Amino acid sequence: MSSIAAVCTPNASGGVAIVRISGEDALTIADRVFNPVSEKKLSDMKGYRAAYGKIHDGETVLDEGVAIVYRAPHSYTGENVAEICCHGGLFVTKRLLRAVLSAGAVPAEAGEFTRRAFLNGRMDLSEAEAVMNVISAQGEQALAAANATLSGSVSRAVGNIADSLTNAAAGLAVWTDYPDEDVPAVSEQTLLDTMQTAKENLFTLIARYDSGRAVTEGISAVICGKPNVGKSTLMNLLTGRQRSIVTSVAGTTRDIIEETVRVGEIVLRLADTAGLRVTDDEVEEIGVAMAREKMNEAALLLAVFDSSVPLDDEDRRLLEVCRDRTSVAIINKSDLPTAIDLQEIENSIPHTCFISAKNQESAQTFAATLAEVLGTNAFDANGEVLAGERQRQCCANAADHLTQGIFALQNGETLDAVGVCIDSALSELFALTGQKVSEAVVNEVFAKFCVGK
Ligand code: GDP
């Protein structure tokens, strides 16, 4: 495999820049552009040693700097690696890279160093994905979560789930393949317990990822409800300023107004929408259509109701939409006498929050409900946090296969059928860690990386 090289510091001027070379010939390539003052060649040095010297391209001296030597397998990629640190000017860095490429390296593709680390068994796929999260972390919790994943917390958690399923699958296979042998019968109860526990553990991983995302990246939320229930007033309460137009004329908010707000620990990417109602006004109708689209896309629905009037058909339609979604019922205008049927709301939306959006203190009541709904009050960034949507999808798919397996077992289908579901769940878990994964998936994972990582 050829040796690769790239600038692994940002494409901007700075104090120092680093060109990294990785591959079997990395050190001899580095020898061709770097002369240590000690006159001992980099390729003769031990791993984890650094040398000070001159950087050159043929006869032309480009800079002076430091080169660090890593020897396979004790490097990031698991290969021989040289890192040449020069002054951090854009031009000098480019010239150094060009010299390294002329000396025999080929340009690294996006994520290729980490890809090689994965292929050489230095890290599994879940850890490789966490590398990008460490780089893009914007706050303490995001960084702690990415570091926990990088050090293998997700791999271990998923590995434990996979081990329990592998044992169950092995027991099943022996029993179904050698029915005449004297093999102990598979206990259906044990099988059921194994699948149920695995499924619960997967749900815990998914829930923790979702709460983590609310804290680190923020989640998209839509304020929805029929006109005049107080959506704009709520938006203004949360953003702390007059952003939406508040009037007592129904249908005032026609566009979607978007804001990012912090509610306690949680970042909400919040949209206030046109009131949901059937209307003859063409412009308002477009607003209502946009509102419905936003609601489909959002991760969280904040459904607002007016507590001073009984529920009507429009409210009931909204309750129906919220039934299967992550949602909070905000029962507004608590300062007025209550005429609404709270029980009917709770039947569809278990999480309710009784507030007066006109009152500043309501923001805290809302924050507490939100933290409870999203589970962020119990979020532990040092636990296992999946590093991205791909990993979440693998867990969700595995849980689906287990649901089918549990259904099959409870409905008296053959153990073969149950075994197929367990195998499918295992394939998803192996795809998550990269133990068994198609090249297309690996390509997709590393395509999101930057060059130099
Ligand atoms: P939207 O159409 O759902 O955006 O509703 P608005 O926010 O424009 O509010 C409609 C009307 O209800 C306005 O007159 C608000 O002042 C009023 N309103 C909003 N929240 C409250 C509240 O908590 N208590 C009372 N009494 N009135 C409110």
Side-chain angles (χ1 to χ4, degrees), residues 64-84:
E64 55 189 44
V66 171
I68 305 164
V69 171
Y70 303 84
R71 286 200 173 266
H74 305 292
S75 72
Y76 181 72
T77 55
E79 302 173 326
N80 287 335
V81 169
E83 285 179 351
I84 305 177

Side-chain angles (χ1 to χ4, degrees), residues 226-233 245-248 332-333 335-336 356-358:
K226 66 181 186 199
N228 251 346
V229 290
K231 297 182 299 299
S232 305
T233 313
I245 312 155
V246 180
T247 68
S248 52
N332 189 31
K333 309 197 188 181
D335 51 307
L336 301 177
S356 166
K358 279 188 162 179

Side-chain angles (χ1 to χ4, degrees), residues 160-206:
N160 289 340
I161 299 173
D163 284 351
S164 70
L165 292 175
T166 308
N167 279 339
L172 263 184
V174 174
W175 198 69
T176 47
D177 292 353
Y178 304 98
D180 302 331
E181 299 291 318
D182 191 17
V183 215
V186 175
S187 146
E188 294 200 355
Q189 191 54 47
T190 312
L191 199 55
L192 193 63
D193 291 346
T194 306
M195 286 194 286
Q196 245 145 6
T197 309
K199 188 176 146 183
E200 276 160 29
N201 290 339
L202 287 169
F203 278 147
T204 306
L205 279 175
I206 292 172

Side-chain angles (χ1 to χ4, degrees), residues 164-416:
S164 70
L165 292 175
T166 308
N167 279 339
L172 263 184
V174 174
W175 198 69
T176 47
D177 292 353
Y178 304 98
D180 302 331
E181 299 291 318
D182 191 17
V183 215
V186 175
S187 146
E188 294 200 355
Q189 191 54 47
T190 312
L191 199 55
L192 193 63
D193 291 346
T194 306
M195 286 194 286
Q196 245 145 6
T197 309
K199 188 176 146 183
E200 276 160 29
N201 290 339
L202 287 169
F203 278 147
T204 306
L205 279 175
I206 292 172
R208 185 171 300 137
Y209 170 72
D210 288 345
S211 346
R213 222 169 44 137
V215 175
T216 55
E217 292 168 36
I219 68 164
S220 57
V222 169
I223 302 180
C224 43
K226 66 181 186 199
N228 251 346
V229 290
K231 297 182 299 299
S232 305
T233 313
L234 175 69
M235 181 79 166
N236 293 339
L237 171 78
L238 298 178
T239 56
R241 60 197 142 115
Q242 273 300 106
R243 186 70 170 72
S244 308
I245 312 155
V246 180
T247 68
S248 52
V249 183
T252 324
T253 309
R254 292 173 179 193
D255 291 331
I256 292 180
I257 295 172
E258 292 186 292
E259 283 275 355
T260 299
V261 295
R262 182 172 277 279
V263 181
E265 272 284 307
I266 298 159
V267 177
L268 285 187
R269 294 193 305 278
L270 202 57
D272 176 18
T273 59
L276 299 171
R277 65 168 183 172
V278 179
T279 170
D280 294 336
D281 181 321
E282 222 173 287
V283 181
E284 191 186 343
E285 196 178 281
I286 295 172
V288 172
M290 280 162 64
R292 292 197 197 282
E293 203 181 304
K294 270 275 159 204
M295 284 170 64
N296 283 338
E297 292 166 1
L300 171 72
L301 300 180
L302 303 174
V304 187
F305 301 90
D306 182 342
S307 66
S308 66
V309 290
L311 289 170
D312 66 11
D313 288 349
E314 206 66 58
D315 291 318
R316 292 196 175 92
R317 265 195 288 277
L318 179 58
L319 284 174
E320 209 40 53
V321 172
C322 290
R323 193 182 277 274
D324 298 323
R325 305 277 304 271
T326 307
S327 46
V328 182
I330 295 164
I331 305 163
N332 189 31
K333 309 197 188 181
S334 62
D335 51 307
L336 301 177
T338 309
I340 205 166
D341 181 352
L342 291 176
Q343 192 54 52
E344 191 178 346
I345 296 182
E346 278 171 8
N347 288 346
S348 296
I349 309 180
H351 297 285
T352 56
C353 176
F354 204 42
I355 61 161
S356 166
K358 279 188 162 179
N359 180 347
Q360 284 296 327
E361 279 157 25
S362 297
Q364 273 134 31
T365 315
F366 173 64
T369 311
L370 201 59
E372 198 184 300
V373 175
L374 298 175
T376 50
N377 39 8
F379 177 64
D380 171 15
N382 295 310
E384 310 77 42
V385 186
L386 300 169
E389 282 300 315
R390 188 193 70 87
Q391 297 186 10
R392 185 190 191 283
Q393 197 56 50
C394 289
C395 287
N397 293 347
D400 277 352
H401 290 304
L402 292 176
T403 304
Q404 286 165 24
I406 292 166
F407 181 84
L409 194 59
Q410 285 172 335
N411 286 276
E413 289 185 33
T414 62
L415 289 181
D416 257 354

Side-chain angles (χ1 to χ4, degrees), residues 158-170 198 202 394 397-399 401-402 419-437:
V158 171
N160 289 340
I161 299 173
D163 284 351
S164 70
L165 292 175
T166 308
N167 279 339
L202 287 169
C394 289
N397 293 347
H401 290 304
L402 292 176
V420 168
C421 298
I422 296 182
D423 284 346
S424 306
L426 275 169
S427 301
E428 293 291 340
L429 299 181
F430 291 148
L432 191 162
T433 55
Q435 240 165 300
K436 244 191 236 164
V437 68

